[in-house]
PDB file of all heavy atoms in Angstrom:
ATOM      1  N   ALA A 269      -9.813  -1.495  -9.323  1.00  0.00           N
ATOM      2  CA  ALA A 269      -9.092  -1.128  -8.095  1.00  0.00           C
ATOM      3  C   ALA A 269      -7.624  -0.824  -8.420  1.00  0.00           C
ATOM      4  O   ALA A 269      -7.033   0.125  -7.875  1.00  0.00           O
ATOM      5  CB  ALA A 269      -9.200  -2.250  -7.067  1.00  0.00           C
ATOM      6  N   ALA A 270      -7.035  -1.609  -9.320  1.00  0.00           N
ATOM      7  CA  ALA A 270      -5.628  -1.383  -9.684  1.00  0.00           C
ATOM      8  C   ALA A 270      -5.473  -0.030 -10.368  1.00  0.00           C
ATOM      9  O   ALA A 270      -4.498   0.695 -10.138  1.00  0.00           O
ATOM     10  CB  ALA A 270      -5.129  -2.505 -10.593  1.00  0.00           C
ATOM     11  N   ALA A 271      -6.460   0.332 -11.194  1.00  0.00           N
ATOM     12  CA  ALA A 271      -6.402   1.637 -11.868  1.00  0.00           C
ATOM     13  C   ALA A 271      -6.469   2.761 -10.835  1.00  0.00           C
ATOM     14  O   ALA A 271      -5.710   3.739 -10.913  1.00  0.00           O
ATOM     15  CB  ALA A 271      -7.547   1.753 -12.876  1.00  0.00           C
ATOM     16  N   VAL A 272      -7.348   2.613  -9.865  1.00  0.00           N
ATOM     17  CA  VAL A 272      -7.452   3.630  -8.806  1.00  0.00           C
ATOM     18  C   VAL A 272      -6.128   3.692  -8.038  1.00  0.00           C
ATOM     19  O   VAL A 272      -5.623   4.774  -7.719  1.00  0.00           O
ATOM     20  CB  VAL A 272      -8.636   3.314  -7.848  1.00  0.00           C
ATOM     21  CG1 VAL A 272      -8.669   4.296  -6.693  1.00  0.00           C
ATOM     22  CG2 VAL A 272      -9.955   3.335  -8.606  1.00  0.00           C
ATOM     23  N   GLY A 273      -5.552   2.547  -7.764  1.00  0.00           N
ATOM     24  CA  GLY A 273      -4.260   2.494  -7.065  1.00  0.00           C
ATOM     25  C   GLY A 273      -3.196   3.269  -7.829  1.00  0.00           C
ATOM     26  O   GLY A 273      -2.437   4.054  -7.251  1.00  0.00           O
ATOM     27  N   CYS A 274      -3.152   3.070  -9.142  1.00  0.00           N
ATOM     28  CA  CYS A 274      -2.145   3.774  -9.961  1.00  0.00           C
ATOM     29  C   CYS A 274      -2.341   5.288  -9.873  1.00  0.00           C
ATOM     30  O   CYS A 274      -1.373   6.050  -9.855  1.00  0.00           O
ATOM     31  CB  CYS A 274      -2.241   3.339 -11.422  1.00  0.00           C
ATOM     32  SG  CYS A 274      -1.644   1.667 -11.683  1.00  0.00           S
ATOM     33  N   VAL A 275      -3.597   5.716  -9.836  1.00  0.00           N
ATOM     34  CA  VAL A 275      -3.896   7.149  -9.749  1.00  0.00           C
ATOM     35  C   VAL A 275      -3.300   7.721  -8.455  1.00  0.00           C
ATOM     36  O   VAL A 275      -2.601   8.748  -8.472  1.00  0.00           O
ATOM     37  CB  VAL A 275      -5.435   7.377  -9.809  1.00  0.00           C
ATOM     38  CG1 VAL A 275      -5.800   8.767  -9.339  1.00  0.00           C
ATOM     39  CG2 VAL A 275      -5.923   7.141 -11.234  1.00  0.00           C
ATOM     40  N   PHE A 276      -3.519   7.058  -7.331  1.00  0.00           N
ATOM     41  CA  PHE A 276      -3.020   7.598  -6.061  1.00  0.00           C
ATOM     42  C   PHE A 276      -1.496   7.498  -5.954  1.00  0.00           C
ATOM     43  O   PHE A 276      -0.846   8.404  -5.430  1.00  0.00           O
ATOM     44  CB  PHE A 276      -3.749   6.942  -4.879  1.00  0.00           C
ATOM     45  CG  PHE A 276      -5.127   7.507  -4.715  1.00  0.00           C
ATOM     46  CD1 PHE A 276      -6.222   6.885  -5.287  1.00  0.00           C
ATOM     47  CD2 PHE A 276      -5.317   8.712  -4.057  1.00  0.00           C
ATOM     48  CE1 PHE A 276      -7.493   7.442  -5.194  1.00  0.00           C
ATOM     49  CE2 PHE A 276      -6.579   9.286  -3.958  1.00  0.00           C
ATOM     50  CZ  PHE A 276      -7.675   8.644  -4.518  1.00  0.00           C
ATOM     51  N   GLY A 277      -0.932   6.410  -6.472  1.00  0.00           N
ATOM     52  CA  GLY A 277       0.535   6.299  -6.493  1.00  0.00           C
ATOM     53  C   GLY A 277       1.133   7.461  -7.276  1.00  0.00           C
ATOM     54  O   GLY A 277       2.151   8.046  -6.883  1.00  0.00           O
ATOM     55  N   SER A 278       0.480   7.825  -8.371  1.00  0.00           N
ATOM     56  CA  SER A 278       1.030   8.887  -9.227  1.00  0.00           C
ATOM     57  C   SER A 278       1.014  10.244  -8.517  1.00  0.00           C
ATOM     58  O   SER A 278       1.917  11.048  -8.714  1.00  0.00           O
ATOM     59  CB  SER A 278       0.271   8.960 -10.557  1.00  0.00           C
ATOM     60  OG  SER A 278      -0.985   9.602 -10.402  1.00  0.00           O
ATOM     61  N   PHE A 279       0.012  10.491  -7.705  1.00  0.00           N
ATOM     62  CA  PHE A 279      -0.015  11.770  -6.973  1.00  0.00           C
ATOM     63  C   PHE A 279       1.104  11.815  -5.924  1.00  0.00           C
ATOM     64  O   PHE A 279       1.780  12.830  -5.759  1.00  0.00           O
ATOM     65  CB  PHE A 279      -1.368  11.959  -6.271  1.00  0.00           C
ATOM     66  CG  PHE A 279      -2.472  12.395  -7.201  1.00  0.00           C
ATOM     67  CD1 PHE A 279      -3.637  11.657  -7.306  1.00  0.00           C
ATOM     68  CD2 PHE A 279      -2.348  13.549  -7.958  1.00  0.00           C
ATOM     69  CE1 PHE A 279      -4.671  12.064  -8.148  1.00  0.00           C
ATOM     70  CE2 PHE A 279      -3.370  13.966  -8.809  1.00  0.00           C
ATOM     71  CZ  PHE A 279      -4.536  13.213  -8.903  1.00  0.00           C
ATOM     72  N   THR A 280       1.283  10.715  -5.217  1.00  0.00           N
ATOM     73  CA  THR A 280       2.270  10.693  -4.130  1.00  0.00           C
ATOM     74  C   THR A 280       3.657  11.101  -4.581  1.00  0.00           C
ATOM     75  O   THR A 280       4.343  11.868  -3.900  1.00  0.00           O
ATOM     76  CB  THR A 280       2.292   9.289  -3.481  1.00  0.00           C
ATOM     77  OG1 THR A 280       1.073   9.137  -2.766  1.00  0.00           O
ATOM     78  CG2 THR A 280       3.458   9.116  -2.530  1.00  0.00           C
ATOM     79  N   VAL A 281       4.079  10.592  -5.749  1.00  0.00           N
ATOM     80  CA  VAL A 281       5.457  10.823  -6.184  1.00  0.00           C
ATOM     81  C   VAL A 281       5.702  12.256  -6.674  1.00  0.00           C
ATOM     82  O   VAL A 281       6.837  12.665  -6.859  1.00  0.00           O
ATOM     83  CB  VAL A 281       5.900   9.820  -7.276  1.00  0.00           C
ATOM     84  CG1 VAL A 281       5.700   8.397  -6.802  1.00  0.00           C
ATOM     85  CG2 VAL A 281       5.160  10.046  -8.591  1.00  0.00           C
ATOM     86  N   GLU A 282       4.644  13.002  -6.859  1.00  0.00           N
ATOM     87  CA  GLU A 282       4.810  14.364  -7.388  1.00  0.00           C
ATOM     88  C   GLU A 282       5.391  15.349  -6.377  1.00  0.00           C
ATOM     89  O   GLU A 282       5.805  16.442  -6.747  1.00  0.00           O
ATOM     90  CB  GLU A 282       3.471  14.901  -7.912  1.00  0.00           C
ATOM     91  CG  GLU A 282       3.075  14.237  -9.216  1.00  0.00           C
ATOM     92  CD  GLU A 282       1.770  14.779  -9.774  1.00  0.00           C
ATOM     93  OE1 GLU A 282       0.903  15.231  -8.995  1.00  0.00           O
ATOM     94  OE2 GLU A 282       1.616  14.736 -11.000  1.00  0.00           O
ATOM     95  N   ASP A 283       5.354  14.978  -5.093  1.00  0.00           N
ATOM     96  CA  ASP A 283       5.933  15.871  -4.094  1.00  0.00           C
ATOM     97  C   ASP A 283       6.540  15.014  -2.979  1.00  0.00           C
ATOM     98  O   ASP A 283       6.358  13.801  -2.957  1.00  0.00           O
ATOM     99  CB  ASP A 283       4.859  16.820  -3.531  1.00  0.00           C
ATOM    100  CG  ASP A 283       5.459  18.116  -2.983  1.00  0.00           C
ATOM    101  OD1 ASP A 283       6.698  18.152  -2.742  1.00  0.00           O
ATOM    102  OD2 ASP A 283       4.718  19.082  -2.788  1.00  0.00           O
ATOM    103  N   PHE A 284       7.227  15.637  -2.047  1.00  0.00           N
ATOM    104  CA  PHE A 284       7.813  14.901  -0.934  1.00  0.00           C
ATOM    105  C   PHE A 284       6.737  14.510   0.071  1.00  0.00           C
ATOM    106  O   PHE A 284       5.686  15.155   0.155  1.00  0.00           O
ATOM    107  CB  PHE A 284       8.887  15.745  -0.239  1.00  0.00           C
ATOM    108  CG  PHE A 284      10.170  15.797  -1.018  1.00  0.00           C
ATOM    109  CD1 PHE A 284      10.344  16.719  -2.039  1.00  0.00           C
ATOM    110  CD2 PHE A 284      11.197  14.886  -0.758  1.00  0.00           C
ATOM    111  CE1 PHE A 284      11.519  16.752  -2.778  1.00  0.00           C
ATOM    112  CE2 PHE A 284      12.374  14.913  -1.494  1.00  0.00           C
ATOM    113  CZ  PHE A 284      12.534  15.856  -2.500  1.00  0.00           C
ATOM    114  N   SER A 285       7.029  13.444   0.813  1.00  0.00           N
ATOM    115  CA  SER A 285       6.161  13.009   1.907  1.00  0.00           C
ATOM    116  C   SER A 285       4.713  12.875   1.409  1.00  0.00           C
ATOM    117  O   SER A 285       4.483  12.418   0.282  1.00  0.00           O
ATOM    118  CB  SER A 285       6.305  14.012   3.059  1.00  0.00           C
ATOM    119  OG  SER A 285       5.498  13.662   4.158  1.00  0.00           O
ATOM    120  N   VAL A 286       3.747  13.273   2.223  1.00  0.00           N
ATOM    121  CA  VAL A 286       2.339  13.144   1.811  1.00  0.00           C
ATOM    122  C   VAL A 286       1.798  14.492   1.334  1.00  0.00           C
ATOM    123  O   VAL A 286       0.593  14.694   1.259  1.00  0.00           O
ATOM    124  CB  VAL A 286       1.457  12.608   2.970  1.00  0.00           C
ATOM    125  CG1 VAL A 286       1.928  11.230   3.421  1.00  0.00           C
ATOM    126  CG2 VAL A 286       1.464  13.579   4.161  1.00  0.00           C
TER     127      VAL A 286
END
Side-chain angles (χ1 to χ4, degrees):
V272 175
C274 288
V275 164
F276 284 95
S278 77
F279 282 124
T280 289
V281 305
E282 287 182 331
D283 205 343
F284 284 85
S285 180
V286 300

